[in-house]
Amino acid sequence: MKVMKFGGTSVGTPMRMKEVTNLVTKSGEPVFVVLSAMAGTTNSLVEISDYLYKKNPDGANEVINNLEQKYLRHISELYSTEQYQTLTRDFLKEEFEYLRSFTKELFTSFEEKSIVAQGELMSTNMMVNYMKEQGINAVLLNALDFMRTDKNAEPDPIYIKEKLTAIMEQNQGAQVYITQGFICRNAYGEVDNLQRGGSDYTASLIGAALNAEEIQIWTDIDGMHNNDPRIVDKTQPIHQLQFEEAAELAYFGAKILHPTCIQPAKYAGIPVRLLNTMDPEAEGTTISNVTEYGKIKAVAAKDNITSIKIKSSRMLLATGFLRKVFEIFESYQTPIDMVCTSEVAVSMSIDNSSHLGEIMDELKKYGTVTVDTNMCIICVVGDLDWSNIGFETKVMDAMKDIPVRMISYGGSNYNISFLIREEDKKRALQNLSNQLFK
């Protein structure tokens, strides 16, 4: 069985829902479908929550009313029979009455999670009703019945596999199984969400639980590209990536995928394909455990980077110095992207500067601190093992005219990273494309 995930844009209109139905049923084989909320819905639900936090029920009701009218307009476009129009209209009225109920009571963070979850619940109900109207044997499975996180807010794969396997046995024989992406329950039974990776994470967890043949992530672009198509001319889709390569690209700027979400598929050895709902025949990108040896695959960029350098001839070589420095970042929950050291200084880069002032105050206890903002990390990804002689020369030659603040290589066999000024980003990306992907 294949798992197919469709994002908000892919189910953003009645026409798109019909197109997704055609894609899902084209092979005639049983499939498991994961859906996001319709495009724009989650933003509206977050806005409703924001009004409720600010104790403005009138503002919340206005957004609820506008969203309800948008959904009700979709009914006549999506369904051709009075039976399914009425069925879906009644369901949506219950949904929006549920949302209005929050304007009449004390609002907490737990209620926010319940509000945001309604987007996926609405899109999946609308889709399964449409499929049933078309005579398709479709079954709706509520993700809240099997998708759960543990006390560390991480997915609980044993629980997910056990519950989902039992639910599938109770619903044998369907052609299409549909569930919600993103949403789950936490260890205490409360409505929650997977946060990182969202619906992609759901698809990967389900694929691993069912030992799926393949996990397909359908979006509105044809897979990962070898550079940023918004900045660089003549980029090309990457047809094959190793899981580690895909994770590096995702972490360093490729927005199509979150680096965490493919981990369950990686550990289960299940290939992930990134496909385009607007161009279903495009090959897309396949991510698997297969490595193409000695090949540079892509370039990515990560913006809004801050560089921090601490210099201390007295302290740097002292036992425990680096530990003390890293503990400061840990105490402010600020991850470090790159690290470079010398005899008298250590430089680090971060992408979250919300606690920069406090971090600098702490670091000044141990040395002289300097900060550079508006920086960018350029990441070159591929099979870059040190035994592949000569690739560094190609990369460095492309960067010869770009001022480089830091270089990181050796922490991974799959990337070499450069810290540069954001103003040099476009030139660096174009130079790398010209040099590496001729």
Side-chain angles (χ1 to χ4, degrees):
M1 178 181 288
K2 293 180 180 178
V3 175
M4 304 173 73
K5 175 264 175 179
F6 295 91
T9 304
S10 298
V11 293
T13 65
M15 181 59 69
R16 294 273 170 83
M17 285 189 169
K18 292 177 182 180
E19 292 169 355
V20 165
T21 298
N22 292 334
L23 284 173
V24 164
T25 57
K26 185 176 181 180
S27 69
E29 299 175 355
V31 294
F32 200 112
V33 177
V34 178
L35 297 183
S36 297
M38 293 179 71
T41 299
T42 300
N43 288 341
S44 294
L45 295 172
V46 170
E47 186 179 8
I48 291 166
S49 299
D50 190 45
Y51 275 118
L52 293 174
Y53 269 127
K54 293 178 170 61
K55 295 181 172 56
N56 183 355
D58 292 338
N61 275 319
E62 184 172 343
V63 179
I64 292 170
N65 291 340
N66 291 337
L67 189 61
E68 181 178 27
Q69 291 308 307
K70 173 184 173 181
Y71 270 82
L72 292 177
R73 284 194 298 270
H74 290 327
I75 291 176
S76 60
E77 297 179 50
L78 186 57
Y79 307 101
S80 57
T81 65
E82 184 63 35
Q83 176 189 355
Y84 280 94
Q85 287 183 7
T86 301
L87 179 66
T88 306
R89 188 178 293 109
D90 290 344
F91 163 74
L92 289 175
K93 285 183 177 179
E94 288 183 9
E95 278 290 301
F96 285 100
E97 283 304 313
Y98 175 69
L99 291 176
R100 289 188 184 94
S101 70
F102 290 99
T103 67
K104 304 168 185 176
E105 58 187 43
L106 183 65
F107 190 70
T108 69
S109 59
F110 297 113
E111 277 75 20
E112 180 188 11
K113 299 289 181 65
S114 295
I115 287 176
V116 173
Q118 302 314 304
E120 280 75 14
L121 293 171
M122 287 191 283
S123 66
T124 50
N125 271 273
M126 291 175 70
M127 180 67 88
V128 81
N129 285 350
Y130 174 72
M131 288 188 178
K132 288 180 177 179
E133 185 184 52
Q134 302 306 304
I136 300 165
N137 183 4
V139 175
L140 179 60
L141 307 180
N142 193 329
L144 299 179
D145 292 337
F146 63 86
M147 193 61 62
R148 189 178 78 168
T149 55
D150 58 23
K151 292 182 179 180
N152 296 316
E154 297 293 337
D156 186 340
I158 296 175
Y159 178 93
I160 293 167
K161 182 178 179 65
E162 178 184 311
K163 291 295 183 180
L164 184 56
T165 300
I167 290 171
M168 292 294 285
E169 288 177 356
Q170 296 167 8
N171 292 276
Q172 293 183 27
Q175 182 181 353
V176 182
Y177 299 87
I178 298 180
T179 196
Q180 303 83 22
F182 182 58
I183 67 174
C184 64
R185 292 192 186 276
N186 61 26
Y188 308 100
E190 300 155 340
V191 175
D192 210 325
N193 57 64
L194 296 174
Q195 298 180 12
R196 297 165 299 176
S199 297
D200 294 349
Y201 209 173
T202 301
S204 188
L205 289 163
I206 289 171
L210 298 179
N211 194 26
E213 170 190 347
E214 181 178 88
I215 299 165
Q216 298 179 354
I217 307 295
W218 290 81
T219 64
D220 55 358
I221 58 176
D222 50 347
M224 282 191 175
H225 279 231
N226 60 7
N227 212 321
D228 190 335
R230 299 166 299 180
I231 298 173
V232 175
D233 298 329
K234 299 178 181 178
T235 65
Q236 296 292 326
I238 312 165
H239 298 309
Q240 194 276 335
L241 284 170
Q242 201 263 5
F243 277 113
E244 296 288 352
E245 294 170 342
E248 295 280 7
L249 285 173
Y251 183 77
F252 284 102
K255 302 300 184 184
I256 188 175
L257 199 66
H258 191 284
T260 303
C261 74
I262 55 175
Q263 286 182 357
K266 171 190 172 183
Y267 297 142
I270 300 170
V272 176
R273 291 185 69 199
L274 309 179
L275 297 164
N276 187 356
T277 50
M278 314 304 167
D279 186 9
E281 301 305 316
E283 183 178 348
T285 300
T286 298
I287 305 168
S288 68
N289 283 318
V290 176
T291 298
E292 291 185 288
Y293 294 100
K295 186 172 182 180
I296 295 175
K297 295 293 186 65
V299 179
K302 190 175 185 182
D303 297 326
N304 302 315
I305 301 297
T306 298
S307 170
I308 303 171
K309 179 180 179 180
I310 176 170
K311 183 178 179 181
S312 174
S313 57
R314 181 174 61 89
M315 292 289 295
L316 191 65
L317 296 179
T319 302
F321 173 75
L322 288 178
R323 173 180 56 79
K324 292 174 183 177
V325 168
F326 293 144
E327 282 178 347
I328 292 170
F329 289 88
E330 181 183 3
S331 67
Y332 290 102
Q333 296 185 323
T334 302
I336 296 171
D337 288 316
M338 296 173 64
V339 180
C340 291
T341 62
S342 72
E343 287 189 20
V344 296
V346 56
S347 294
M348 296 149 288
S349 71
I350 59 174
D351 64 1
N352 178 3
S353 59
S354 58
H355 295 289
L356 180 60
E358 297 99 312
I359 290 171
M360 287 182 62
D361 288 342
E362 294 286 338
L363 290 175
K364 285 176 180 177
K365 297 175 183 177
Y366 303 106
T368 304
V369 180
T370 56
V371 173
D372 294 311
T373 57
N374 300 318
M375 305 295 284
C376 169
I377 294 176
I378 303 290
C379 176
V380 179
V381 169
D383 177 41
L384 307 181
D385 187 88
W386 64 274
S387 60
N388 295 326
I389 298 171
F391 80 85
E392 304 100 326
T393 304
K394 285 185 177 182
V395 176
M396 295 299 292
D397 191 46
M399 297 291 290
K400 64 184 179 182
D401 297 325
I402 308 294
V404 176
R405 172 70 176 77
M406 291 169 60
I407 300 175
S408 176
Y409 171 60
S412 163
N413 289 335
Y414 298 98
N415 92 55
I416 179 169
S417 299
F418 301 86
L419 183 68
I420 65 173
R421 298 175 302 194
E422 283 189 5
E423 62 194 73
D424 296 320
K425 169 184 167 181
K426 181 176 181 179
R427 192 156 53 98
L429 291 178
Q430 190 67 63
N431 287 358
L432 285 164
S433 265
N434 295 342
Q435 179 73 16
L436 304 177
F437 309 123
K438 294 178 182 177

